């Protein structure tokens, strides 16, 4: 059926997933989103991008990164921005 929606997670699980997502690095967020979308199959990318408030392209990039044997940026992790004080 083309109009069939993805059966997502229960609301309590979604909340736990969102909490976990906020604790991850940028790279790990992409990959986690990719894994969750892959588990859901068709329509999973849109569902997960909405759940986490990220662009579907980010989810797809996470999926691609998971297929790589080597991580080209294994030593790079962006620090979370704490706030913009004094223009920083």
């Amino acid at each position: 059926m083309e109009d069939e929606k993805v059966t997502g997670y229960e609301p309590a699980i979604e909340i736990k997933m969102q909490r976990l997502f906020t604790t991850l690095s940028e790279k790990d967020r992409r990959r986690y989103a990719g894994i969750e979308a892959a588990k859901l199959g068709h329509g999973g990318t849109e569902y997960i991008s909405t759940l986490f408030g990220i662009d579907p392209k980010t989810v797809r990039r996470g999926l691609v990164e998971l297929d790589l044997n080597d991580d080209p940026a294994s030593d790079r992790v962006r620090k979370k921005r704490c706030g913009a004080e004094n223009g920083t």
Side-chain angles (χ1 to χ4, degrees):
M1 246 187 214
E2 287 183 33
D3 294 338
E4 190 173 322
K5 284 191 167 194
V6 171
T7 302
Y9 297 101
E10 306 244 344
I13 297 298
E14 287 182 345
I15 290 169
K16 290 176 183 181
M17 291 169 66
Q18 290 166 330
R19 285 181 185 155
L20 172 63
F21 185 80
T22 63
T23 68
L24 301 173
S25 70
E26 182 180 348
K27 178 174 61 174
D28 290 337
R29 286 180 184 197
R30 283 192 306 270
R31 292 174 175 196
Y32 176 55
I35 284 288
E36 291 298 335
K39 288 185 339 187
L40 294 170
H42 180 74
T45 297
E46 196 63 39
Y47 174 85
I48 293 298
S49 68
T50 301
L51 178 65
F52 293 144
I54 60 177
D55 193 291
K57 289 186 271 186
T58 302
V59 178
R60 288 191 288 274
R61 181 174 172 196
L63 282 166
V64 168
E65 289 176 358
L66 288 167
D67 286 337
L68 299 174
N69 288 332
D70 294 321
D71 182 1
S74 62
D75 59 338
R76 290 178 42 203
V77 176
R78 254 191 228 185
K79 293 182 181 177
K80 288 185 180 179
R81 187 172 174 183
C82 294
E85 293 183 30
N86 299 328
T88 59

